[in-house]
């Protein structure tokens, strides 16, 4: 079995390049925001802080393999003098990053009026990053790439890649489910229970569009800030073309179905935990 560990390391270097940790980090951002915006009192401060630290560590580890590509992209952006807006886009991206950091500290560490402007900005950030959570469903492509390359042993695929994919997809999609459930709980608390189902379906539809833009057109969440007109143009083109519209519709159906199943499982587990704390046996 001495060969197993080197094969696993080689497989990760050649196929994954840190995508699992990075995509889980992106999926955790809307999850943390959902607790901060909608269910802040349901999570103790120490646990919330621990979750933020853990997510930060995951993000740093996931970003590591991408640093050369990020640096190359910034270098190409600075070197490209043919477009007068390239420098502006870089400065705008840095400004947005700094603002997002200050905003997150402001939201997380202070008690703001939930209807204040910071809350609404946080809500926009939450909705922009939310499609990153169900996006992990499309990362099955990495498993296909790994198994079809012929460079990875079947034993490594069976014992490492498949369980790892299953865990990553489950965690990412569960972050999506809990985020929406937190939003639904907030709406119910404010007397807007009738809006829950329409809002869930709307979020699934928007997430389906976001997944298509991310997987096939290779847009990222920050492109909405850096190049919003380009994202809108490509989105309108996708929605008015038959094949992209069909892909988006199928994705919407998959998201809706999986969300309903995972929602029942999540609420069932929550109920079991509540019963256990009350000393109630659900089999009675």
């Amino acid at each position: 079995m001495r060969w197993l560990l080197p094969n696993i390391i080689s497989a990760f270097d050649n196929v994954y390049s840190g995508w699992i940790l990075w995509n889980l980090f992106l999926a955790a951002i809307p999850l943390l925001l959902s607790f901060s915006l909608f269910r802040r009192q349901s999570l103790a401060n120490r646990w919330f802080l621990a979750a933020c630290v853990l997510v930060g560590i995951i993000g740093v580890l996931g970003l590591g393999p991408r640093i050369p590509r990020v640096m190359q992209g910034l270098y190409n952006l600075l070197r490209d003098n043919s477009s007068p807006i390239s420098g502006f886009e870089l400065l705008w991206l840095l400004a947005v990053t700094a603002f997002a950091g200050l905003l997150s500290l402001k939201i997380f560490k202070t008690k703001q009026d939930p209807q204040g402007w910071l809350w609404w900005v946080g809500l926009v950030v939450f909705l922009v990053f939310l499609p990153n959570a169900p996006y992990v469903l499309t990362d099955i492509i990495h498993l296909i790439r790994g198994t079809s390359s012929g460079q990875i042993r079947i034993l490594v695929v069976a014992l490492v890649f498949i369980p790892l994919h299953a865990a990553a997809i489950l965690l990412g999609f569960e972050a999506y489910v809990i985020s929406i459930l937190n939003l639904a709980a907030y709406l119910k608390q404010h007397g807007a229970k009738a809006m829950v189902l329409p809002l869930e379906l709307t979020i699934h539809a928007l997430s389906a569009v976001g997944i298509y833009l991310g997987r096939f057109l290779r847009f990222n969440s920050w492109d909405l800030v850096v190049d919003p007109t380009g994202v809108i143009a490509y989105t309108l083109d996708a929605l008015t073309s038959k094949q992209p519209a069909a892909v988006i519709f199928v994705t919407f159906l998959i998201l809706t179905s999986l969300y309903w199943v995972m929602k029942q499982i999540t609420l069932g587990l929550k109920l079991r935990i509540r019963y256990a704390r009350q000393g109630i046996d659900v089999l009675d």
Side-chain angles (χ1 to χ4, degrees):
M1 298 297 287
R2 294 180 178 179
W3 57 268
L4 185 59
L5 184 58
N7 274 270
I8 294 175
I9 295 175
S10 176
F12 272 88
D13 289 339
N14 295 331
V15 178
Y16 284 86
S17 300
W19 73 264
I20 293 178
L21 292 177
W22 180 248
N23 286 354
L24 287 179
F25 166 73
L26 293 178
I29 290 178
L31 178 62
L32 291 178
L33 283 172
S34 71
F35 277 104
S36 176
L37 296 170
F38 314 127
R39 299 288 299 277
R40 190 63 188 90
Q41 301 301 322
S42 66
L43 196 62
N45 289 334
R46 64 180 183 277
W47 292 112
F48 185 78
L49 180 60
C52 291
V53 172
L54 177 61
V55 170
I57 293 174
I58 292 175
V60 170
L61 294 177
L63 180 63
R66 286 169 166 75
I67 289 179
R69 186 168 61 184
V70 172
M71 297 303 296
Q72 183 64 38
L74 292 176
Y75 172 75
N76 293 337
L77 185 63
L78 291 173
R79 189 183 59 179
D80 183 14
N81 295 322
S82 60
S83 174
I85 64 173
S86 294
F88 171 76
E89 289 181 350
L90 177 60
L91 292 176
W92 179 242
L93 178 59
L94 294 176
V96 169
T97 303
F99 177 77
L102 294 175
L103 178 64
S104 62
L105 292 176
K106 196 72 174 177
I107 292 177
F108 293 158
K109 293 186 177 181
T110 63
K111 295 181 179 180
Q112 298 287 336
D113 179 3
Q115 301 301 328
W117 68 273
L118 282 177
W119 188 91
W120 290 104
V121 174
L123 178 62
V124 172
V125 175
F126 165 77
L127 293 175
V128 167
F129 278 89
L130 186 57
N132 288 305
Y135 180 84
V136 296
L137 294 173
T138 68
D139 283 323
I140 195 69
I141 188 176
H142 294 287
L143 179 61
I144 298 174
R145 183 185 304 165
T147 55
S148 62
S149 65
Q151 301 177 358
I152 303 176
R153 294 178 179 267
I154 298 299
L155 187 60
V156 175
V157 173
L159 298 181
V160 179
F161 277 17
I162 292 178
L164 196 61
H165 264 92
I169 290 175
L170 179 62
L171 290 174
F173 199 80
E174 182 64 14
Y176 179 70
V177 173
I178 295 177
S179 298
I180 298 178
L181 288 178
N182 286 341
L183 175 57
Y186 178 85
L187 292 175
K188 291 179 180 179
Q189 291 175 359
H190 289 75
K193 184 178 179 179
M195 292 179 57
V196 172
L197 180 58
L199 190 59
E200 286 179 340
L201 295 176
T202 302
I203 289 176
H204 298 330
L206 293 176
S207 295
V209 174
I211 290 173
Y212 177 83
L213 294 177
R215 173 53 64 190
F216 296 99
L217 300 184
R218 308 308 297 167
F219 279 113
N220 296 289
S221 296
W222 53 77
D223 287 316
L224 284 171
V225 178
V226 177
D227 186 21
T229 56
V231 175
I232 294 174
Y234 277 104
T235 302
L236 293 177
D237 180 67
L239 293 176
T240 55
S241 302
K242 290 183 178 180
Q243 184 174 356
V247 173
I248 292 172
F249 179 71
V250 172
T251 304
F252 167 76
L253 294 179
I254 293 174
L255 289 181
T256 304
S257 302
L258 289 180
Y259 171 78
W260 186 87
V261 173
M262 291 300 297
K263 177 181 178 180
Q264 308 312 311
I265 295 175
T266 302
L267 294 177
L269 290 175
K270 181 179 179 181
L271 190 61
R272 288 289 299 270
I273 294 173
R274 179 179 299 179
Y275 283 167
R277 289 177 176 176
Q278 296 175 355
I280 302 174
D281 189 348
V282 294
L283 298 178
D284 290 342

